[in-house]
Amino acid sequence: MHFLALANRILRWGTTLAALLLPVPRLHAQAAEAPASDAAFFRDSVAPILQQHCLSCHNEAERRGGLSLSTATDLRAGGDSGMVVTAGDPEASYLLDLITPIDDEAEMPQAAPPLAAEDVATIRRWIAAGAAWPEDHRLRPPAWWSLTPLESPTLPEITGPPEITGPPSLSESTSAAANPIDRFIAAALDERGLARAPEADRRTLIRRLSFDLLGLPPSDQEIEAFVADSHPLAYERLVDRMLASPHYGERWARHWLDVVHYGETHGYDKDKPRNHAWPYRDYVIRALNEDKPYARFIEEQIAGDLLYPHTRDGIEALGFIAAGPWDFIGHVEVPETKIDGKIARHLDRDDMVQNTVETFLSLTVGCAQCHDHRFDPIPQADYYALQAMFSALDRVDRPYDVDPQIARRRHVLTERQQELDREHEQLTSQIAAAMCDAERREVREQIERLPAPALVYAGGIHHGSGSFRGTGPEGGQPRPIFFLARGDVTSPQQEVAPGVLSCLGDHLAPPQLAPAANDGERRAALAAWLSDRRNPLTWRSIANRLWLYHFGRGLVETPNDFGRMGEPPTHPELLDWLACQIRDAGEMREAGSHIDSGSSLKRVQRMIVTSATYRQRSAVVPSAVALEADPDNRFYWRMNRRRLEAEAVRDAMLVAAGRLDRRMGGPSYRDFVIEKPEHSPHYQYHLHDPDDPRAQRRSVYRFLVRSQTQPLMTALDCADPSMQVARRNQANTPLQALAMLNNQLPLAVSRHFAESVTRATGGEGSSGEIEAAVALAFRRAIGRDATADEQAALVAYARRHGLAATCRVILNLNEFLFVD
């Protein structure tokens, strides 16, 4: 018997003995009364407790400790420790020992708070009355919130918008009743006695919106034009212009690339460059700018070559499968027949599985390679079924044609060439063979005259090593995948058929795949299952990610974990409403319906950023009620103030200095020098010239190294491309200030910044010219005029230390580095 349970039993014996010596207070008379031993009491009072707190671990499929509490028969059978309930005798019932807390701790439920005292009392009364359990009553584990079917909730009824003080709003849409998002937020605020903060001023709003949608600061001319715009829909028109900007895709692609851990080197020991990874990055930018329906966005990244053949996007999108780290030694220098080779390929498929499930479904599956998931309904068999979905793939440089007409032409010619090759093998006549040879040469010459294909580093068909051949023109089959005991490649058990997660089986049937299904059938089925409108995880996941990047925190605080170890949503109805908007808008566009500002992601983002919730001030004095009810602003009674991400800081510095090159697409720029490229490359950032104009493009086009990250960007909490980053850290450390003051890039940018404002104001000779240059520098960087005190302090500093040093100070101001 467990020590805590034994101590519980001893303590309860002592308590029982003491109770015999004392009169029973009338206060507890009702609790001491035995309930009627009927089905109603069990169904209404006992079953909900067992279902909520016990069934997730003790059910027919997963009998922890050998115990199931699904049926009366299971209860009577007990578990590994014997009987858990002795009908009519609570003191002899092991179940009561397990759930009764001592010093606020109980053995059961594991990894969760103890049951409430009234729930323990209910179980005691039930056992004392005979532990009645109707034979036909079967308990099922409660569905976790994220696994329940997705249905659009009814909009909350609110009596009116929360009381707001301050300047008049920008448009009528500020009313809480006008925007559905505000109705959900207002209902939660009303429940807690909270009021929404006043609306932010126009300078704050345009800067907030510009960084959120474009990742770039607005120019001082754009700010002044918006401030002076008297049109009643000035803000909405600003939103529409930004959503239509090509810079939108650059901004939001960076968020996506964080999640899929996109990098341009392999990682591991020999961190060699991937010179053809960048087309996937450009695909993401292009897809987001086009507001591609999210279902198709998913399908292209899993099976674009199969579902959308001969298209550029259908091939470039497969960079998703190959986005993560890859062991060069384990794949190239070690054969697949060796143990180290098997481990490398197992880990490679593990990365594909985890990247797919965490990115699109926000569930963790990695631990299921060794054992059934400890908290979520993901058995080990499901994990290996998912590995089988990718078992034919490797990471390769895939040739493809950007022009779809050339792609189709190459496909027709290649098929004809293969037909002629087969015919030639069967010909016996020399004359017929000569004629066939002539046509083969002609077809080959036509293929050679086509433009050379482009290359993208992406998931590609495995062609094997040694005696193994993969799928492809040779007609091979995917690698066999085996259930591995404890995840050990040296302990294979039974072979596993391809499949998906079974936890959604009640409302989303898994695809029916034969064990011998080829690669195309497997990936096409997986893509269809992920993008299915009935898959609740898919749509909740992307809705939460949109909210996270606009507010700095998601409606679910753990964006890559919607399981039991993650956080539940603060506003579950709002999350489901947003998810349905994304899901159903895509369907409406497919049907040709008119939707404001397109559909899918952009449509929902427009609703978010035009809501009164988004347009609140961040700098407000919290009331005593707010500090007590919601000190972390989980219910959005104000806007969250956020520090800019590393890329936005770098790009904003270049914008202020007039040095940002806004050319889009193409190979990434390198802000390092490679040493020893022939073996294990060393990426030396300190040898790079910060004045190199090729490296003054937007940060989304930076060549991302896994083993040696860029020092300035790392100090500013840039995402590590070796791991999936669903939400970036926002640290505030002395190292950041030192990097911004002393790194070679801010030093060079500050010099160019000073030269730019000097040219614009006519020189740096006189006192008035220095004052004009300082004033212009402040306005460019901060978006407003300096106050008299700020101007005086900066001018005095410029006279002592020079204009370049002053520009460096301006670039280190909190108002430059943070968004209100």
Side-chain angles (χ1 to χ4, degrees):
M1 183 180 295
H2 190 278
F3 174 77
L4 186 58
L6 179 61
N8 246 323
R9 180 157 292 185
I10 295 171
L11 181 62
R12 289 197 292 111
W13 285 340
T15 304
T16 302
L17 180 61
L20 295 175
L21 305 177
L22 295 173
V24 178
R26 291 185 59 81
L27 180 65
H28 300 292
Q30 183 177 359
E33 292 175 2
S37 56
D38 57 16
F41 179 75
F42 175 81
R43 183 179 59 252
D44 298 338
S45 301
V46 177
I49 299 173
L50 299 178
Q51 199 158 13
Q52 180 180 355
H53 298 286
C54 307
L55 261 291
S56 59
C57 294
H58 302 288
N59 56 70
E60 291 174 308
E62 184 178 3
R63 296 172 178 261
R64 296 281 178 88
L67 175 66
S68 170
L69 294 177
S70 299
T71 66
T73 302
D74 291 337
L75 176 72
R76 289 192 293 267
D80 295 342
S81 300
M83 296 284 294
V84 295
V85 168
T86 301
D89 190 353
E91 307 307 324
S93 297
Y94 185 38
L95 177 62
L96 208 59
D97 296 332
L98 296 173
I99 64 174
T100 302
I102 296 178
D103 296 332
D104 297 325
E105 290 187 15
E107 187 175 356
M108 292 294 171
Q110 286 187 344
L115 270 62
E118 54 268 29
D119 290 342
V120 175
T122 297
I123 298 295
R124 172 186 288 275
R125 293 172 60 197
W126 170 62
I127 295 173
W133 186 322
E135 291 295 333
D136 61 346
H137 195 107
R138 180 183 299 274
L139 301 185
R140 300 184 183 278
W144 188 239
W145 69 266
S146 62
L147 304 178
T148 59
L150 178 61
E151 298 177 358
S152 186
T154 303
L155 294 179
E157 292 293 336
I158 56 175
T159 56
E163 183 179 353
I164 303 174
T165 58
S169 61
L170 292 171
S171 74
E172 295 178 357
S173 67
T174 303
S175 167
N179 189 311
I181 290 172
D182 292 326
R183 294 177 66 170
F184 286 104
I185 297 296
L189 292 176
D190 287 346
E191 184 180 340
R192 290 159 181 83
L194 299 172
R196 198 171 68 223
E199 188 168 277
D201 62 86
R202 287 199 174 196
R203 292 183 186 275
T204 298
L205 285 175
I206 187 174
R207 190 168 187 269
R208 177 189 300 171
L209 194 67
S210 187
F211 275 114
D212 271 7
L213 293 182
L214 308 180
L216 295 170
S219 67
D220 50 343
Q221 295 87 354
E222 289 171 328
I223 294 174
E224 296 306 324
F226 177 60
V227 170
D229 192 342
S230 60
H231 193 281
L233 296 177
Y235 181 78
E236 285 77 3
R237 297 197 303 181
L238 177 66
V239 169
D240 291 339
R241 288 196 298 272
M242 289 186 179
L243 287 172
S245 168
H247 297 309
Y248 163 86
E250 293 175 319
R251 167 60 164 170
W252 282 81
R254 182 62 264 163
H255 295 316
W256 186 259
L257 298 175
D258 279 6
V259 175
V260 305
H261 64 341
Y262 165 82
E264 294 177 74
T265 62
H266 291 323
Y268 286 91
D269 298 340
K270 291 187 178 180
D271 192 21
K272 291 182 176 294
R274 294 177 179 173
N275 295 319
H276 304 290
W278 60 266
Y280 172 69
R281 174 250 292 150
D282 282 2
Y283 157 78
V284 175
I285 294 172
R286 188 169 60 251
L288 293 174
N289 274 333
E290 294 172 357
D291 197 19
K292 183 167 291 191
Y294 189 61
R296 177 155 178 167
F297 188 56
I298 296 171
E299 292 165 353
E300 287 176 341
Q301 294 180 77
I302 298 297
D305 55 338
L306 309 165
L307 301 175
Y308 306 101
H310 316 309
T311 65
R312 176 185 184 181
D313 287 0
I315 301 297
E316 290 183 348
L318 298 177
F320 165 81
I321 295 174
W326 183 75
D327 185 357
F328 178 88
I329 295 176
H331 285 80
V332 176
E333 300 181 0
V334 180
E336 188 163 354
T337 54
K338 301 292 185 183
I339 291 178
D340 285 352
K342 293 180 185 296
I343 292 173
R345 286 156 181 82
H346 169 79
L347 293 177
D348 198 45
R349 292 189 297 273
D350 174 68
D351 180 79
M352 294 178 186
V353 168
Q354 292 203 55
N355 198 26
T356 299
V357 175
E358 290 191 29
T359 296
F360 296 118
L361 304 180
S362 292
L363 279 184
T364 61
V365 295
C367 64
Q369 64 181 294
C370 297
H371 50 72
D372 291 347
H373 201 294
R374 291 293 187 238
F375 302 100
D376 300 329
I378 303 174
Q380 195 175 358
D382 283 7
Y383 170 84
Y384 286 103
L386 284 167
Q387 272 216 12
M389 288 292 202
F390 297 100
S391 64
L393 296 183
D394 277 328
R395 303 169 197 244
V396 297
D397 284 328
R398 289 190 64 153
Y400 69 104
D401 292 296
V402 174
D403 187 330
Q405 293 184 349
I406 294 176
R408 284 190 286 271
R409 177 63 175 161
R410 191 186 302 277
H411 176 71
V412 170
L413 291 172
T414 301
E415 284 197 331
R416 180 56 182 158
Q417 185 180 45
Q418 293 170 353
E419 290 176 5
L420 291 170
D421 289 343
R422 288 192 294 269
E423 290 177 12
H424 188 269
E425 292 177 357
Q426 299 172 358
L427 293 174
T428 58
S429 167
Q430 292 184 351
I431 296 176
M435 294 175 62
C436 185
D437 278 338
E439 187 175 355
R440 289 167 71 193
R441 284 193 300 271
E442 181 182 349
V443 171
R444 184 168 59 251
E445 289 171 0
Q446 291 184 53
I447 292 176
E448 291 172 350
R449 286 195 294 270
L450 293 175
L455 293 173
V456 58
Y457 188 78
I461 295 301
H462 168 75
H463 290 287
S465 59
S467 60
F468 180 83
R469 303 294 290 178
T471 56
E474 296 84 359
Q477 294 298 319
R479 298 174 177 92
I481 298 299
F482 298 93
F483 188 103
L484 302 181
R486 302 299 299 171
D488 185 353
V489 298
T490 65
S491 300
Q493 309 294 307
Q494 70 274 14
E495 186 172 350
V496 177
V500 295
L501 299 179
S502 59
C503 56
L504 297 175
D506 289 344
H507 48 275
L508 176 59
Q512 299 300 312
L513 287 170
N518 64 33
D519 169 70
E521 293 168 329
R522 296 180 187 210
R523 286 193 289 123
L526 177 60
W529 182 80
L530 289 169
S531 61
D532 195 298
R533 73 180 313 278
R534 294 167 297 175
N535 193 325
L537 290 165
T538 298
W539 309 102
R540 287 177 174 132
S541 174
I542 188 59
N544 189 61
R545 294 194 196 282
L546 292 185
W547 190 273
L548 162 67
Y549 296 129
H550 281 299
F551 287 93
R553 73 189 316 159
L555 295 169
V556 180
E557 286 270 24
T558 50
N560 267 22
D561 188 358
F562 280 14
R564 293 180 183 274
M565 290 302 288
E567 292 289 328
T570 54
H571 300 72
E573 294 83 7
L574 173 57
L575 178 64
D576 281 8
W577 187 85
L578 292 171
C580 289
Q581 292 297 307
I582 298 172
R583 180 192 67 183
D584 299 337
E587 291 183 351
M588 285 187 281
R589 181 165 74 173
E590 292 288 338
S593 299
H594 171 73
I595 300 174
D596 292 339
S597 189
S599 69
S600 194
L601 305 186
K602 283 188 179 181
R603 178 177 180 270
V604 172
Q605 286 181 275
R606 189 181 192 276
M607 287 189 285
I608 290 174
V609 299
T610 57
S611 69
T613 303
Y614 178 84
R615 286 150 61 163
Q616 295 176 102
R617 293 181 188 174
S618 64
V620 295
V621 178
S623 66
V625 174
L627 285 176
E628 182 177 355
D630 187 20
D632 295 329
N633 193 33
R634 290 167 57 86
F635 294 94
Y636 307 100
W637 49 271
R638 60 175 175 83
M639 187 59 176
N640 293 314
R641 189 172 193 245
R642 291 171 286 149
R643 203 196 68 208
L644 293 175
E645 297 96 332
E647 291 85 353
V649 171
R650 178 187 174 276
D651 294 352
M653 287 195 296
L654 291 171
V655 168
R659 303 287 290 187
L660 182 66
D661 180 352
R662 301 187 185 226
R663 287 181 298 116
M664 296 181 64
S668 301
Y669 69 85
R670 301 186 176 193
D671 52 358
F672 52 81
V673 173
I674 297 183
E675 292 184 344
K676 303 179 181 179
E678 66 284 351
H679 184 63
S680 297
H682 294 182
Y683 301 91
Q684 306 291 3
Y685 295 96
H686 67 281
L687 298 178
H688 178 260
D689 179 9
D691 290 323
D692 182 357
R694 294 173 297 179
Q696 293 175 350
R697 301 177 66 199
R698 287 203 65 175
S699 298
V700 72
Y701 300 114
R702 182 171 64 89
F703 194 98
L704 298 177
V705 178
R706 297 188 197 274
S707 61
Q708 295 164 266
T709 54
Q710 212 274 359
L712 175 64
M713 306 296 277
T714 301
L716 296 175
D717 298 324
C718 188
D720 183 345
S722 293
M723 61 181 67
Q724 290 183 265
V725 179
R727 177 182 178 181
R728 290 196 183 183
N729 295 329
Q730 287 196 14
N732 191 9
T733 68
L735 183 60
Q736 294 168 344
L738 292 170
M740 284 294 293
L741 284 169
N742 300 317
N743 184 274
Q744 58 182 357
L745 179 63
L747 288 171
V749 168
S750 298
R751 186 177 68 254
H752 292 302
F753 193 5
E755 292 169 356
S756 176
V757 295
T758 298
R759 287 193 301 271
T761 54
E764 196 181 349
S766 67
S767 174
E769 289 168 344
I770 292 176
E771 291 178 355
V774 167
L776 178 58
F778 190 93
R779 187 164 61 252
R780 274 193 189 177
I782 307 303
R784 64 172 177 84
D785 290 327
T787 66
D789 290 342
E790 291 167 339
Q791 175 76 359
L794 289 170
V795 168
Y797 188 87
R799 288 172 178 158
R800 289 196 304 272
H801 302 288
L803 189 57
T806 306
C807 287
R808 186 156 51 123
V809 169
I810 293 173
L811 295 179
N812 276 271
L813 294 175
N814 274 356
E815 203 168 343
F816 179 80
L817 298 170
F818 284 77
V819 174
D820 287 323

